Amino acid sequence: MQKIGFVGLGAMGAAMAQQLVAKQYKVTGYDLNAAAVETLAATGGNAAASVAQAADGAEALIVMVVNADQAENVLFEAGGLAALADGAPVIVCSTCSPERAAEMATRCEAAGHPFVDAPVSG
């Protein structure tokens, strides 16, 4: 796996994405905050203008947004899941209830994408 889509370049997400770039992964990132996307590009990552563009052909998608509502938007409404390479895993680092994470997992797996619930905390 070399090509990673990354959505959510806030305080934690930016540092995570930059570490992946430092390890020679091809990271394409998106965030609502254009300055965060520009910072990723300045450190060697690729800037995306949308969620779907960040996920386009990626071999994995990391979703580092605040909650389940935002994660579901990234995956199912903004085109994240549909843009991924076949079989690419989805790694959601948001705070989600077990029920919401299970619902997302079911939908991702039905589309042929393994799902990893990997919540992080500040």
Side-chain angles (χ1 to χ4, degrees), residues 6 12-25 27 40 43:
F6 206 107
M12 286 189 281
M16 292 167 65
Q18 289 170 9
Q19 282 296 314
L20 289 167
V21 169
K23 299 295 181 185
Q24 306 301 309
Y25 289 96
V27 178
L40 176 65
T43 61

Side-chain angles (χ1 to χ4, degrees), residues 33-89:
N33 178 353
V37 177
E38 291 171 14
T39 298
L40 176 65
T43 61
N46 299 302
S50 68
V51 167
Q53 187 178 22
D56 186 32
E59 297 168 272
L61 178 63
I62 299 172
V63 181
M64 185 65 192
V65 296
V66 174
N67 58 35
D69 289 340
Q70 291 179 359
E72 288 175 350
N73 180 279
V74 165
L75 294 171
F76 310 119
E77 295 168 33
L81 191 66
L84 284 174
D86 291 343

